[in-house]
Amino acid sequence: MQASASDVERQKQESVRAGPHWAMPDTYLILLFVALLAFALNFLIPSGTYETVVVNDRTLVDPDSYRQVAAAPEGMALFAEGGNIGLLNFAFEGMVSGSKWGASIGVFAFILLTGGAFGLIFASGSVERGLFQVIARNREAGGLYLATLCVMFSAGGAVFGMGEEVIPFTLIVVPLLVAMGYDSITALLVTYVATQVGFATSWMNPFGVSIAQGIAGVPVMSGSLPRMLLWALATGFLIAYTLRYAHRVRLNPNSSLAFESDAVHRAGRPSLADIQPMVRGDGWVLLLFAVGIGWMIWGVVEREYFLPEIASQFFTMGIVIATVAIAFGLNGLTANKAAAAFKEGAQQLLPAAMVVAFAKGIVLLLGGDEPGSPSVLNTLLHWAGQGLADVSGAVSAWCMLLFQTVFNFFITSGSGQAALTMPVMAPLADVVGVTRQTAVLAFQLGDGFSNVVVPTSAALMGCLGAARLDWGLWIRFALPLMAWLFALASAAVVLAALTGF
């Protein structure tokens, strides 16, 4: 039986009376601490640059062109003027950096606009009534639903690099699974985590493996069969992990770390024993919603749509669905109520958008992710390359995996990390006796799997915001999962090195 909001509040009061206890710091406090660490590194590590070359219309980093720009660390201003970056400027500069095509301003706008669009879509009540009808009729088939969602979103990550695009789907899946007796963590496993498992083990993702293979000088989409087998293995593992966790939560909802935060999803939702019947007009709304999702998938796969187009598609869906809902009088919706629903939807995701800006600001404190601009990140990359030159074979392959895992904290973009690291890792692989294909695999797995936990990932923080789940709670759950994924990745790259993949 699900607990009510009053039950949750009573449990909170009892916990307070029981005495003080340690609590995980808020996400913003964690990001502030990381920003202070990034600021301190400027006083400990000198900045460096790489030169770039254009090969076949692709800009690549010359791995032999590293140059330290100063004899010693130069530090950084506490407060910078003229639009420059300093510790106290990192939040604003992070918010306005980038373009409409990516972090942070593009992702910031994407999150707010899609949040508002889903406010319009949910205001009709049609999606909720339709979902609850499905739950009421198929409540015992929950495990099959979870497995199907895992496969679908993992395939999305593998085929077209699904990342930030999963945020709107999280808005749909979270209340659905909470109503079925699961929790928001289960929803994140079958949506966001599934996309990253697919991303990490992809055989054709254009934003990850294809770019990395092109830079490394190996045929694009080569080695597909082993990667497909790895994708099936990793996705199967995630399904088993998810079903085991979901079963435990369904038997004992209080065991969930998200039990208290999920109260907002439980509050105001009809019980499964008192489902509202669908009304005239709901069918049209659901049809338009399905058509809109199909339009979005077609755009991503066939037209390579990204943030600007996808955000505009969801905005269009919201406007059209709200218009139909007003015409049918669904939920007593009026034009003014629809406008209020749009504002409320955007407001609910504002904290997630702000976290994206903070995370980008941390990267800027380290000098940014441009190889031609002086940065601490370039120096860290150079040092890692030198360190790996002293080891060989399977150990070197595993060290590459470890480096890519750690480096992904700073550069969460798959294409960005490939562009910055593969020009160094590919020739390094030749030196230590590892194939370049294995070096690409180490990049894939280190980049993709670590996206499950890094707070600098715009997609992760956006999904957590949509689920109303704090990163501090998420990391407590996700670290054991990350350990299992890293163990799987380690076995894969060591086997690849030993077999000459």
Side-chain angles (χ1 to χ4, degrees):
M1 181 180 294
Q2 295 177 347
S4 65
S6 60
D7 293 332
V8 174
E9 184 61 32
R10 185 171 60 254
Q11 291 172 4
K12 287 182 178 180
Q13 293 174 358
E14 292 174 353
S15 177
V16 171
R17 287 195 295 269
H21 63 282
W22 184 85
M24 179 68 72
D26 185 84
T27 300
Y28 288 94
L29 293 177
I30 294 172
L31 289 175
L32 181 59
F33 172 78
V34 176
L36 290 170
L37 177 60
F39 176 72
L41 288 178
N42 286 274
F43 296 89
L44 301 174
I45 301 174
S47 297
T49 63
Y50 283 100
E51 294 180 5
T52 58
V53 294
V54 178
V55 179
N56 296 328
D57 297 326
R58 190 189 298 276
T59 300
L60 305 178
V61 176
D62 180 358
D64 299 321
S65 66
Y66 173 80
R67 180 176 62 86
Q68 189 172 304
V69 298
E74 296 181 319
M76 177 176 285
L78 183 64
F79 182 86
E81 299 177 346
N84 295 313
I85 185 69
L87 175 62
L88 300 178
N89 307 86
F90 89 98
F92 178 82
E93 294 299 329
M95 186 180 299
V96 300
S97 66
S99 68
K100 64 182 179 180
W101 300 104
S104 111
I105 191 64
V107 177
F108 192 97
F110 176 81
I111 291 175
L112 292 184
L113 198 58
T114 54
F118 270 91
L120 288 173
I121 293 169
F122 288 139
S124 68
S126 300
V127 174
E128 183 177 84
R129 286 188 289 270
L131 290 176
F132 275 91
Q133 287 290 336
V134 172
I135 296 169
R137 296 174 184 176
N138 303 276
R139 181 168 172 77
E140 299 306 318
L144 178 61
Y145 283 169
L146 297 181
T148 302
L149 288 171
C150 271
V151 172
M152 289 176 55
F153 282 101
S154 181
V159 174
F160 59 88
M162 194 174 197
E164 286 86 351
E165 300 90 339
V166 77
I167 297 173
F169 290 98
T170 306
L171 288 166
I172 304 171
V173 175
V174 167
L176 169 63
L177 294 189
V178 170
M180 293 180 72
Y182 301 116
D183 64 353
S184 57
I185 291 177
T186 306
L188 289 168
L189 284 171
V190 300
T191 54
Y192 176 73
V193 175
T195 64
Q196 298 313 301
V197 166
F199 191 97
T201 57
S202 173
W203 59 94
M204 62 176 293
N205 167 23
F207 304 112
V209 62
S210 296
I211 291 178
Q213 287 180 325
I215 294 174
V218 299
V220 175
M221 291 186 66
S222 60
S224 293
L225 180 58
R227 285 186 170 88
M228 288 180 182
L229 294 175
L230 182 58
W231 173 80
L233 176 63
T235 303
F237 165 78
L238 179 62
I239 290 173
Y241 193 96
T242 300
L243 292 180
R244 181 174 179 271
Y245 170 79
H247 179 69
R248 186 172 74 247
V249 168
R250 205 172 192 183
L251 290 178
N252 181 17
N254 290 280
S255 66
S256 169
L257 292 172
F259 180 75
E260 292 188 7
S261 61
D262 281 349
V264 68
H265 303 298
R266 293 188 293 267
R269 300 284 177 180
S271 67
L272 296 179
D274 186 26
I275 300 297
Q276 294 183 10
M278 294 183 66
V279 299
R280 181 172 174 268
D282 283 346
W284 284 106
V285 169
L286 294 176
L287 176 62
L288 289 170
F289 183 68
V291 170
I293 296 297
W295 177 36
M296 190 207 74
I297 295 174
W298 170 84
V300 171
V301 175
E302 296 293 332
R303 306 291 295 178
E304 298 183 355
Y305 285 177
F306 195 48
L307 298 182
E309 295 89 355
I310 296 172
S312 299
Q313 286 176 310
F314 276 113
F315 180 71
T316 303
M317 287 167 55
I319 293 294
V320 172
I321 287 176
T323 301
V324 171
I326 292 172
F328 280 96
L330 298 176
N331 270 13
L333 195 64
T334 65
N336 281 339
K337 288 182 178 179
F342 178 85
K343 290 186 288 186
E344 183 179 357
Q347 181 181 0
Q348 288 175 353
L349 290 191
L350 179 61
M354 291 293 295
V355 166
V356 170
F358 273 50
K360 180 62 175 181
I362 291 171
V363 175
L364 295 179
L365 286 175
L366 293 169
D369 54 7
E370 292 295 329
S373 300
S375 73
V376 171
L377 283 181
N378 287 332
T379 300
L380 292 173
L381 177 62
H382 175 67
W383 287 354
Q386 288 185 319
L388 289 179
D390 297 330
V391 295
S392 61
V395 175
S396 180
W398 184 83
C399 288
M400 287 182 178
L401 169 68
L402 179 62
F403 169 74
Q404 296 285 12
T405 299
V406 174
F407 200 76
N408 191 49
F409 182 91
F410 307 106
I411 308 295
T412 56
S413 165
S415 56
Q417 187 172 342
L420 194 57
T421 63
M422 287 313 300
V424 178
M425 293 294 135
L428 182 64
D430 300 335
V431 174
V432 299
V434 174
T435 67
R436 294 193 172 196
Q437 191 76 269
T438 298
V440 171
L441 182 64
F443 152 74
Q444 282 183 261
L445 298 176
D447 169 45
F449 285 158
S450 56
N451 282 330
V452 172
V453 296
V454 293
T456 48
S457 167
L460 171 61
M461 303 314 292
C463 287
L464 290 178
R468 313 287 187 85
L469 187 66
D470 189 80
W471 182 82
L473 289 177
W474 171 250
I475 197 68
R476 289 172 58 187
F477 166 82
L479 277 180
L481 172 61
M482 180 62 203
W484 280 105
L485 291 175
F486 186 77
L488 175 63
S490 298
V493 296
V494 169
L495 180 63
L498 293 176
T499 58
F501 171 64

